[in-house]
Coordinates of all heavy atoms in Angstrom, one line a residue:
R1 N -32.1 9.4 -18.6 CA -32.3 8.3 -17.6 C -31.6 7.1 -18.1 O -31.0 6.3 -17.3 CB -33.8 8.1 -17.3 CG -34.1 7.1 -16.2 CD -33.5 7.5 -14.9 NE -34.0 6.7 -13.8 CZ -33.4 6.6 -12.6 NH1 -32.3 7.3 -12.4 NH2 -33.9 5.9 -11.7
W2 N -31.7 6.8 -19.4 CA -31.1 5.7 -20.0 C -29.6 5.7 -19.7 O -28.9 4.7 -19.4 CB -31.4 5.7 -21.5 CG -30.9 4.5 -22.3 CD1 -31.7 3.5 -22.7 CD2 -29.6 4.3 -22.9 NE1 -31.0 2.6 -23.4 CE2 -29.7 3.0 -23.6 CE3 -28.4 4.9 -22.8 CZ2 -28.6 2.5 -24.2 CZ3 -27.3 4.4 -23.5 CH2 -27.4 3.2 -24.2
T3 N -29.0 6.9 -19.9 CA -27.6 7.1 -19.7 C -27.2 6.9 -18.2 O -26.2 6.3 -17.9 CB -27.1 8.5 -20.2 OG1 -27.5 8.6 -21.6 CG2 -25.6 8.6 -20.0
D4 N -28.1 7.5 -17.3 CA -27.9 7.3 -15.9 C -27.8 5.8 -15.5 O -27.0 5.5 -14.6 CB -29.0 8.0 -15.1 CG -28.9 9.6 -15.3 OD1 -27.8 10.0 -15.8 OD2 -29.8 10.2 -14.9
I5 N -28.7 5.1 -16.0 CA -28.8 3.6 -15.6 C -27.5 2.9 -16.1 O -26.9 2.1 -15.3 CB -30.0 3.0 -16.3 CG1 -31.3 3.6 -15.7 CG2 -30.0 1.5 -16.0 CD1 -32.6 3.2 -16.4
I6 N -27.1 3.2 -17.3 CA -25.8 2.6 -17.8 C -24.7 2.9 -16.9 O -23.9 2.1 -16.5 CB -25.5 3.0 -19.3 CG1 -26.5 2.3 -20.2 CG2 -24.1 2.7 -19.6 CD1 -26.1 0.8 -20.5
S7 N -24.5 4.2 -16.6 CA -23.4 4.7 -15.7 C -23.5 4.0 -14.3 O -22.5 3.6 -13.8 CB -23.5 6.2 -15.6 OG -22.6 6.7 -14.7
F8 N -24.7 3.9 -13.8 CA -24.9 3.4 -12.5 C -24.5 1.9 -12.4 O -23.8 1.4 -11.5 CB -26.4 3.5 -12.1 CG -26.7 3.0 -10.7 CD1 -26.5 3.7 -9.5 CD2 -27.3 1.7 -10.5 CE1 -26.8 3.2 -8.3 CE2 -27.6 1.2 -9.3 CZ -27.3 2.0 -8.2
T9 N -24.9 1.1 -13.4 CA -24.6 -0.3 -13.5 C -23.1 -0.5 -13.7 O -22.6 -1.5 -13.1 CB -25.4 -1.0 -14.6 OG1 -25.2 -0.4 -15.8 CG2 -26.9 -1.0 -14.2
I10 N -22.5 0.3 -14.5 CA -21.0 0.2 -14.6 C -20.3 0.4 -13.3 O -19.4 -0.3 -12.9 CB -20.5 1.2 -15.7 CG1 -21.0 0.8 -17.1 CG2 -19.0 1.3 -15.7 CD1 -20.7 1.9 -18.2
N11 N -20.7 1.4 -12.6 CA -20.1 1.7 -11.3 C -20.3 0.5 -10.3 O -19.4 0.1 -9.6 CB -20.7 3.0 -10.7 CG -20.0 4.2 -11.3 OD1 -18.8 4.4 -11.3 ND2 -20.9 5.1 -11.8
M12 N -21.5 0.0 -10.3 CA -21.8 -1.1 -9.4 C -21.0 -2.4 -9.8 O -20.4 -3.1 -8.9 CB -23.3 -1.5 -9.5 CG -24.2 -0.5 -8.8 SD -23.9 -0.2 -7.1 CE -23.2 1.5 -7.2
E13 N -20.8 -2.6 -11.1 CA -20.0 -3.7 -11.6 C -18.5 -3.5 -11.1 O -17.9 -4.5 -10.7 CB -20.1 -3.8 -13.1 CG -19.5 -5.1 -13.7 CD -18.1 -5.0 -14.1 OE1 -17.6 -3.8 -14.3 OE2 -17.4 -6.0 -14.2
Q14 N -18.0 -2.3 -11.2 CA -16.6 -2.1 -10.8 C -16.4 -2.2 -9.3 O -15.4 -2.6 -8.8 CB -16.2 -0.7 -11.4 CG -16.1 -0.7 -12.9 CD -15.7 0.7 -13.4 OE1 -15.9 1.7 -12.8 NE2 -15.3 0.8 -14.7
I15 N -17.5 -1.7 -8.6 CA -17.4 -1.9 -7.1 C -17.4 -3.4 -6.7 O -16.6 -3.8 -5.9 CB -18.6 -1.2 -6.4 CG1 -18.5 0.3 -6.6 CG2 -18.7 -1.6 -5.0 CD1 -19.7 1.1 -6.1
G16 N -18.2 -4.2 -7.4 CA -18.2 -5.6 -7.2 C -16.8 -6.2 -7.4 O -16.3 -7.1 -6.6
D17 N -16.2 -5.8 -8.5 CA -14.8 -6.3 -8.8 C -13.8 -5.9 -7.7 O -13.0 -6.7 -7.3 CB -14.4 -5.8 -10.2 CG -15.1 -6.4 -11.3 OD1 -15.8 -7.4 -11.1 OD2 -15.1 -5.8 -12.4
T18 N -13.9 -4.7 -7.3 CA -13.0 -4.2 -6.2 C -13.2 -5.0 -4.9 O -12.3 -5.4 -4.2 CB -13.2 -2.7 -6.0 OG1 -13.0 -2.0 -7.3 CG2 -12.1 -2.2 -5.1
V19 N -14.5 -5.2 -4.5 CA -14.8 -5.9 -3.3 C -14.2 -7.3 -3.4 O -13.7 -7.9 -2.4 CB -16.3 -5.9 -3.0 CG1 -16.6 -6.8 -1.8 CG2 -16.8 -4.4 -2.7
E20 N -14.4 -7.9 -4.6 CA -13.9 -9.3 -4.7 C -12.4 -9.3 -4.5 O -11.8 -10.2 -3.9 CB -14.3 -9.8 -6.1 CG -13.8 -11.2 -6.4 CD -14.0 -11.7 -7.8 OE1 -14.0 -10.8 -8.7 OE2 -14.1 -12.9 -8.0
R21 N -11.7 -8.3 -5.1 CA -10.3 -8.3 -4.9 C -9.9 -8.1 -3.5 O -8.9 -8.6 -3.0 CB -9.7 -7.2 -5.8 CG -8.2 -7.1 -5.8 CD -7.6 -6.2 -6.9 NE -8.0 -4.8 -6.7 CZ -8.9 -4.2 -7.4 NH1 -9.5 -4.8 -8.4 NH2 -9.2 -2.9 -7.2
V22 N -10.6 -7.2 -2.7 CA -10.4 -7.0 -1.3 C -10.5 -8.3 -0.5 O -9.7 -8.6 0.3 CB -11.3 -5.9 -0.8 CG1 -11.2 -5.8 0.8 CG2 -10.9 -4.5 -1.3
L23 N -11.6 -9.0 -0.8 CA -11.8 -10.3 -0.1 C -10.7 -11.3 -0.4 O -10.3 -12.0 0.5 CB -13.2 -10.8 -0.5 CG -14.4 -10.0 0.0 CD1 -15.7 -10.5 -0.7 CD2 -14.6 -10.2 1.5
L24 N -10.3 -11.3 -1.6 CA -9.2 -12.2 -2.0 C -7.9 -11.9 -1.2 O -7.2 -12.8 -0.7 CB -9.0 -12.2 -3.5 CG -8.1 -13.3 -4.1 CD1 -8.7 -14.7 -3.8 CD2 -8.0 -13.1 -5.6
D25 N -7.6 -10.6 -1.1 CA -6.4 -10.1 -0.3 C -6.6 -10.5 1.1 O -5.6 -10.9 1.8 CB -6.2 -8.6 -0.5 CG -5.7 -8.2 -1.8 OD1 -5.2 -9.1 -2.6 OD2 -5.8 -7.0 -2.2
I26 N -7.7 -10.3 1.7 CA -8.0 -10.7 3.1 C -7.7 -12.2 3.3 O -7.1 -12.6 4.3 CB -9.4 -10.3 3.5 CG1 -9.5 -8.8 3.5 CG2 -9.7 -10.8 4.9 CD1 -10.9 -8.3 3.8
E27 N -8.2 -13.0 2.4 CA -8.0 -14.5 2.5 C -6.5 -14.8 2.5 O -6.0 -15.5 3.3 CB -8.7 -15.2 1.3 CG -10.2 -15.2 1.4 CD -10.8 -15.9 0.2 OE1 -10.2 -16.9 -0.2 OE2 -11.8 -15.5 -0.3
E28 N -5.8 -14.2 1.5 CA -4.4 -14.7 1.3 C -3.4 -14.0 2.2 O -2.5 -14.7 2.7 CB -4.0 -14.3 -0.2 CG -4.8 -15.1 -1.2 CD -4.4 -14.7 -2.6 OE1 -3.6 -13.7 -2.8 OE2 -4.8 -15.4 -3.6
K29 N -3.7 -12.7 2.6 CA -2.7 -12.0 3.4 C -3.0 -11.9 4.9 O -2.2 -11.5 5.7 CB -2.5 -10.6 2.9 CG -2.1 -10.5 1.4 CD -2.0 -9.1 0.9 CE -1.5 -9.0 -0.5 NZ -1.5 -7.6 -1.0
K30 N -4.2 -12.3 5.3 CA -4.6 -12.3 6.7 C -5.1 -13.6 7.2 O -4.5 -14.2 8.2 CB -5.7 -11.2 6.9 CG -6.1 -11.1 8.4 CD -7.2 -10.0 8.5 CE -7.6 -9.8 10.0 NZ -8.2 -11.0 10.6
I31 N -6.2 -14.2 6.6 CA -6.8 -15.4 7.2 C -5.8 -16.5 7.1 O -5.5 -17.2 8.1 CB -8.1 -15.7 6.5 CG1 -9.1 -14.5 6.7 CG2 -8.7 -17.0 7.0 CD1 -10.4 -14.7 6.0
R32 N -5.3 -16.8 5.9 CA -4.5 -18.0 5.7 C -3.1 -17.9 6.4 O -2.5 -18.9 6.8 CB -4.2 -18.2 4.2 CG -5.5 -18.5 3.4 CD -5.2 -19.0 2.0 NE -6.5 -19.0 1.2 CZ -7.3 -20.1 1.2 NH1 -7.0 -21.1 2.0 NH2 -8.4 -20.1 0.5
K33 N -2.6 -16.6 6.7 CA -1.4 -16.4 7.4 C -1.6 -16.2 8.9 O -0.6 -16.0 9.6 CB -0.6 -15.3 6.7 CG -0.1 -15.6 5.3 CD 0.7 -14.5 4.7 CE 1.2 -14.8 3.3 NZ 2.1 -13.8 2.8
G34 N -2.8 -16.2 9.3 CA -3.1 -16.0 10.7 C -2.7 -14.7 11.3 O -2.3 -14.6 12.5
R35 N -2.8 -13.6 10.6 CA -2.4 -12.3 11.0 C -3.6 -11.5 11.5 O -4.8 -11.8 11.1 CB -1.7 -11.5 9.9 CG -0.3 -12.1 9.5 CD 0.2 -11.5 8.3 NE 1.6 -12.0 8.0 CZ 2.3 -11.8 6.9 NH1 1.7 -10.9 6.0 NH2 3.5 -12.3 6.7
E36 N -3.4 -10.4 12.3 CA -4.5 -9.6 12.8 C -4.1 -8.2 12.7 O -2.9 -7.8 12.7 CB -4.7 -9.9 14.3 CG -5.2 -11.3 14.6 CD -6.6 -11.6 14.0 OE1 -7.4 -10.6 13.8 OE2 -7.0 -12.8 13.8
F37 N -5.1 -7.3 12.5 CA -4.9 -5.9 12.5 C -4.7 -5.4 13.9 O -5.3 -6.0 14.9 CB -6.1 -5.1 11.8 CG -6.2 -5.3 10.4 CD1 -7.2 -6.0 9.8 CD2 -5.2 -4.8 9.5 CE1 -7.3 -6.2 8.4 CE2 -5.3 -4.9 8.1 CZ -6.3 -5.6 7.6
S38 N -4.0 -4.3 14.0 CA -3.9 -3.7 15.4 C -5.3 -3.1 15.7 O -6.2 -2.9 14.9 CB -2.9 -2.5 15.3 OG -3.3 -1.5 14.5

């Protein structure tokens, strides 16, 4: 269980980093440039 918790928190931390990068891309490549998805 100790190992499971470590693995789980690592995955959550990496998901958080990826979501942050996605949001930053949306800001720079869509919102600030006024673009829309089809």
